[in-house]
Amino acid sequence: MKMERILPFAKSLLKKAVKPGDIVVDATLGNGHDTVFLGDLVGELGKVYGFDVQQEAINATKKRLTEHHLTDRVTIFHAGHEQVSVKIPVEEHGKITGAIFNLGYLPGGDKNIVTHSETTLSAIEQLLEIMAPEGIILLVIYHGHEKGAVERDDILHYCQKLDQKKAHVLQYQFINQQNNPPFIIAIEKR
């Protein structure tokens, strides 16, 4: 397949936005794959702030970071991403160049613990305030679970109403695949 799949496309957008020395956010740690990717992107002088409400995700991410020798550039918060503007030091507001969310539930974890549109939308609004111009927020939306459709619809509604003078919004999605394939919403701050 010549077209980029969802996760490689997300990573290609982050590579365009994030440079060595930058500050970025992994809003949903999951199993740590994005955290490691972001840690590599920002390099030794950069910083990754990671958020998750599940201890299982934090443990998996810390293990992966240790294996890749990246623990020194990542700060993990056992907190929801809706606390992003409170947890990230004020002196770093205005310097964040990238953020990624994988919405839904922890792969291999408790499928009853899911992300919710209220906290996700709060985090997006906060990030748009504290990000650098041209910073990118990526939302990988996994909506094939009971509450996923609600979160998907709320996020789409919010993003469609974002003022184009404030942000550019892109939806990247395969539309002929079965079983609710994930898709991306990318928001670039102006």
Side-chain angles (χ1 to χ4, degrees):
M1 185 159 122
K2 302 278 186 212
M3 291 185 281
E4 281 189 282
R5 295 188 185 279
I6 296 300
L7 294 178
F9 183 70
K11 288 181 178 182
S12 71
L13 289 175
L14 285 169
K15 285 179 186 175
K16 290 177 184 178
V18 178
K19 304 289 179 248
D22 281 359
I23 300 165
V24 296
V25 174
D26 185 349
T28 51
L29 292 173
N31 287 310
H33 298 286
D34 288 338
T35 320
V36 167
F37 175 75
L38 291 170
D40 285 335
L41 278 183
V42 301
E44 292 180 15
L45 301 177
K47 190 72 177 169
V48 179
Y49 290 102
F51 293 81
D52 212 293
V53 297
Q54 294 183 76
Q55 189 62 50
E56 182 181 352
I58 291 168
N59 294 345
T61 299
K62 285 182 176 179
K63 181 176 187 262
R64 196 170 303 281
L65 289 169
T66 300
E67 291 168 355
H68 288 85
H69 309 289
L70 296 172
T71 56
D72 58 329
R73 59 187 84 165
V74 179
T75 299
I76 293 175
F77 297 108
H78 189 176
H81 46 234
E82 72 276 10
Q83 296 186 41
V84 67
S85 65
V86 176
K87 296 289 188 182
I88 295 175
V90 174
E91 59 271 12
E92 295 186 349
H93 291 193
K95 300 176 183 177
I96 299 163
T97 58
I100 188 165
F101 294 70
N102 280 287
L103 302 176
Y105 53 82
L106 175 65
D110 183 348
K111 293 182 180 176
N112 293 313
I113 302 172
V114 297
T115 55
H116 298 277
S117 55
E118 298 83 14
T119 57
T120 301
L121 292 173
S122 175
I124 294 167
E125 288 177 347
Q126 291 173 53
L127 283 167
L128 285 171
E129 289 297 319
I130 67 173
M131 289 187 88
E134 297 186 348
I136 291 181
I137 301 168
L138 288 169
L139 303 151
V140 184
I141 301 175
Y142 294 89
H143 55 106
H145 58 94
E146 185 180 334
K147 296 183 182 174
V150 173
E151 186 174 34
R152 173 199 66 210
D153 293 347
D154 289 349
I155 290 169
L156 285 170
H157 180 75
Y158 171 84
C159 289
Q160 289 166 348
K161 292 187 177 249
L162 270 174
D163 184 345
Q164 67 181 12
K165 294 177 183 167
K166 184 176 181 180
H168 301 287
V169 182
L170 166 80
Q171 182 174 342
Y172 186 78
Q173 178 176 25
F174 291 96
I175 59 173
N176 67 336
Q177 293 180 354
Q178 297 177 351
N179 301 319
N180 302 306
F183 65 95
I184 292 174
I185 298 287
I187 305 169
E188 181 181 2
K189 181 177 176 176
R190 291 194 70 177

